[in-house]
Amino acid sequence: MSLNNQTELAIIEAARKIFISKGYSGTTMEKIATEANVSKASLHYYYRSKDKLFEIVLSEVREIIQEKLILIIKSEDNIEVIIKKINDVYVETLINHPYLPNFIINEISSNPEKIVKILLGDKLSTFTILRMMVIIRNKTFKGNKDVVNSYDLILNVISLNVFPFLIRPIIKNIFKIEDEQFNSYMNNRKSGLSTFLFKALKQ
Amino acid sequence: MSLNNQTELAIIEAARKIFISKGYSGTTMEKIATEANVSKASLHYYYRSKDKLFEIVLSEVREIIQEKLILIIKSEDNIEVIIKKINDVYVETLINHPYLPNFIINEISSNPEKIVKILLGDKLSTFTILRMMVIIRNKTFKGNKDVVNSYDLILNVISLNVFPFLIRPIIKNIFKIEDEQFNSYMNNRKSGLSTFLFKALKQ
DNA sequence: GTCTATAGCGGGATAGAC
DNA sequence: GTCTATCCCGCTATAGAC
């Protein structure tokens, strides 16, 4: 068995697509096989079990998010620019991967220990890095040290960016809009969100 | 068949408990039957199908949330007091019903049309009421009309309150804390959150 | 009304031919 | 390597005794 052959790749691509849109229990080996144009037996041949396949997909997801955030954090920008960039990256990533947040939240609640371990990784986690960075940045941002602590700040930024995508069907229903308009709304919201956050940070 | 007899109630209570903690697909009729101390056949006798049972539980959930929010909105308080009360109600409700947010988000993503219809109801929805109220309140709140519009304000308040509960396993892992400490953290966060929101609202 | 037994099906996994 | 056929379990739902 050679690594990265056509069949292997087709299976992973199909698995990614279906796991992320349907969740673990909504996904069947049959559906993945059909999507990849192979038989169910091939799935087991290459990846042994549904669980194993799922773990690979979930790890990929972690990498997508981790890479983008680390890029921002490594920059030498001040806290305001960093927040603005985080808003941009979240909205962009979530518009391109609309099912990601629901996928992660669903899996977190159905199997917390396993999912948290895969998402946060064994080494230095995305969240730990983010946290450390904001502590450092905070020191150079005048007067806000006692107003919002850095843990809360990160939690607030992520909450404000991710939650609307989680309840997208509700938002679409209330405003009677479609996906395209929802995406525009989220894009337009970015600048207001940055302003909102900056003001909250000021003494 | 008389309404509200013992068996009927036991089944609904068991169904509520298991559906909310395990989600639709994580729940089996067997588990509900065991929890209620009756046979599977009785479940079907009273409620015909798993789907029917689920719809009843979901409608109950909507009522819990709706009641609390309407109470707040009906009051004559100004926008700052209303926001403070909403923060209080959300944190209190979510501490008492820890699985509620995950349950709703899970079901939204697995069957959006159906869930949104049940959650928002056929008549005047919770969200519509909230929205209208904030529009009115905004008019009496000096100078913030162009800063944050009322839709965004509501979305922000709900995001900031609900999202941390959704990622509780991650937060617990990062801070190495247990449920009790998580609840304290969310309780302590309330006042900071109100301050955060007020400042963002000021011109 | 409540139970036991079972029908019927969908899904993960494997055996074995090619 | 890839397929078809099949095993076997778990689940919803129903039949029928009491």
Side-chain angles (χ1 to χ4, degrees):
Chain A
M1 160 183 143
S2 69
L3 288 173
N4 292 338
N5 73 50
Q6 279 308 104
T7 308
E8 249 182 299
L9 282 174
I11 292 171
I12 279 293
E13 270 176 43
R16 188 186 305 131
K17 179 175 173 183
I18 297 178
F19 272 129
I20 289 179
S21 59
K22 304 281 182 186
Y24 182 84
S25 58
T27 296
T28 70
M29 295 300 260
E30 181 70 43
K31 283 182 197 163
I32 297 176
T34 304
E35 177 72 27
N37 275 313
V38 296
S39 71
K40 278 197 288 177
S42 295
L43 270 56
H44 289 281
Y45 175 79
Y46 281 107
Y47 298 99
R48 222 178 60 84
S49 72
K50 185 184 176 183
D51 264 41
K52 194 72 198 154
L53 207 41
F54 179 71
E55 274 186 30
I56 292 171
V57 170
L58 195 60
S59 293
E60 284 184 359
V61 163
R62 181 193 60 187
E63 279 159 30
I64 292 174
I65 300 168
Q66 201 150 316
E67 267 176 31
K68 301 214 178 199
L69 289 180
I70 287 175
L71 261 179
I72 292 169
I73 289 160
K74 276 186 177 164
S75 75
E76 294 293 321
D77 303 313
N78 65 38
I79 188 77
E80 295 200 354
V81 175
I82 285 181
I83 289 178
K84 198 174 173 318
K85 282 191 179 177
I86 292 179
N87 288 339
D88 287 343
V89 165
Y90 265 104
V91 172
E92 187 203 324
T93 306
L94 297 180
I95 284 176
N96 290 332
H97 304 274
Y99 296 107
L100 224 50
N102 283 292
F103 172 67
I104 294 172
I105 296 295
N106 284 356
E107 303 311 327
I108 282 177
S109 74
S110 58
N111 200 344
E113 307 80 20
K114 182 179 161 190
I115 309 302
V116 167
K117 197 184 167 196
I118 297 176
L119 274 186
L120 293 184
D122 296 326
K123 305 173 195 171
L124 199 62
S125 77
T126 303
F127 281 78
T128 306
I129 295 169
L130 243 182
R131 197 179 63 190
M132 281 167 38
M133 278 309 298
V134 173
I135 290 170
I136 295 165
R137 299 297 177 189
N138 252 357
K139 288 179 182 166
T140 67
F141 188 68
K142 56 186 184 306
N144 74 320
K145 273 166 246 163
D146 300 318
V147 181
V148 182
N149 78 47
S150 46
Y151 307 110
D152 282 336
L153 178 59
I154 294 171
L155 187 55
N156 292 349
V157 172
I158 297 177
S159 299
L160 291 167
N161 274 297
V162 179
F163 189 77
F165 284 93
L166 288 169
I167 58 163
R168 175 167 47 185
I170 290 181
I171 293 177
K172 283 170 63 182
N173 183 287
I174 290 174
F175 292 109
K176 308 292 177 213
I177 56 175
E178 292 309 312
D179 280 326
E180 203 187 340
Q181 289 162 291
F182 175 84
N183 289 344
S184 304
Y185 171 64
M186 291 307 296
N187 255 318
N188 295 336
R189 193 177 121 91
K190 277 190 307 191
S191 71
L193 201 55
S194 295
T195 312
F196 185 82
L197 284 161
F198 299 159
K199 281 164 49 128
L201 280 178
K202 292 262 166 66
Q203 192 71 286
Chain B
M1 160 183 142
S2 67
L3 288 174
N4 293 338
N5 73 50
Q6 279 306 104
T7 308
E8 249 182 300
L9 281 174
I11 292 171
I12 278 292
E13 271 175 43
R16 188 186 305 129
K17 181 175 173 184
I18 298 178
F19 271 130
I20 289 179
S21 59
K22 304 282 182 185
Y24 181 85
S25 57
T27 297
T28 70
M29 296 300 261
E30 180 70 43
K31 284 181 195 163
I32 296 175
T34 304
E35 177 72 27
N37 275 314
V38 295
S39 71
K40 280 193 287 178
S42 295
L43 270 55
H44 289 281
Y45 175 79
Y46 282 108
Y47 298 100
R48 224 178 59 85
S49 72
K50 185 185 176 182
D51 264 42
K52 193 73 198 154
L53 206 42
F54 179 71
E55 272 187 30
I56 292 171
V57 170
L58 195 60
S59 292
E60 283 184 0
V61 163
R62 180 193 61 189
E63 279 159 30
I64 293 175
I65 299 169
Q66 201 149 316
E67 267 176 31
K68 302 214 176 197
L69 288 181
I70 287 175
L71 261 178
I72 292 169
I73 289 161
K74 274 186 178 162
S75 75
E76 294 293 321
D77 304 312
N78 64 37
I79 188 77
E80 295 200 354
V81 175
I82 285 182
I83 289 178
K84 199 175 171 320
K85 281 192 179 175
I86 292 179
N87 287 339
D88 287 344
V89 165
Y90 264 103
V91 172
E92 187 202 325
T93 306
L94 296 180
I95 284 176
N96 290 332
H97 305 273
Y99 296 106
L100 222 51
N102 283 292
F103 172 66
I104 292 172
I105 296 296
N106 283 354
E107 304 310 328
I108 281 177
S109 72
S110 58
N111 201 343
E113 308 78 21
K114 183 179 161 190
I115 309 303
V116 166
K117 197 183 166 193
I118 296 176
L119 274 186
L120 293 185
D122 296 327
K123 304 172 194 171
L124 199 61
S125 76
T126 304
F127 281 78
T128 307
I129 296 169
L130 244 181
R131 196 179 62 190
M132 280 167 38
M133 277 310 296
V134 174
I135 290 170
I136 295 165
R137 299 297 176 189
N138 252 356
K139 288 180 184 168
T140 66
F141 187 69
K142 57 187 182 308
N144 74 321
K145 272 165 247 164
D146 301 319
V147 180
V148 182
N149 78 49
S150 46
Y151 307 112
D152 282 335
L153 178 59
I154 294 171
L155 186 56
N156 292 349
V157 172
I158 297 177
S159 299
L160 290 166
N161 274 297
V162 179
F163 188 77
F165 284 92
L166 287 170
I167 59 163
R168 174 166 48 183
I170 291 181
I171 293 177
K172 284 170 61 182
N173 183 286
I174 291 175
F175 292 108
K176 307 295 176 209
I177 57 175
E178 293 308 311
D179 280 326
E180 204 187 339
Q181 291 162 290
F182 175 83
N183 289 344
S184 305
Y185 171 64
M186 290 308 296
N187 255 319
N188 295 336
R189 194 177 119 90
K190 278 191 306 193
S191 71
L193 200 55
S194 296
T195 311
F196 185 82
L197 284 162
F198 299 160
K199 283 167 46 131
L201 281 177
K202 293 264 166 65
Q203 193 71 284

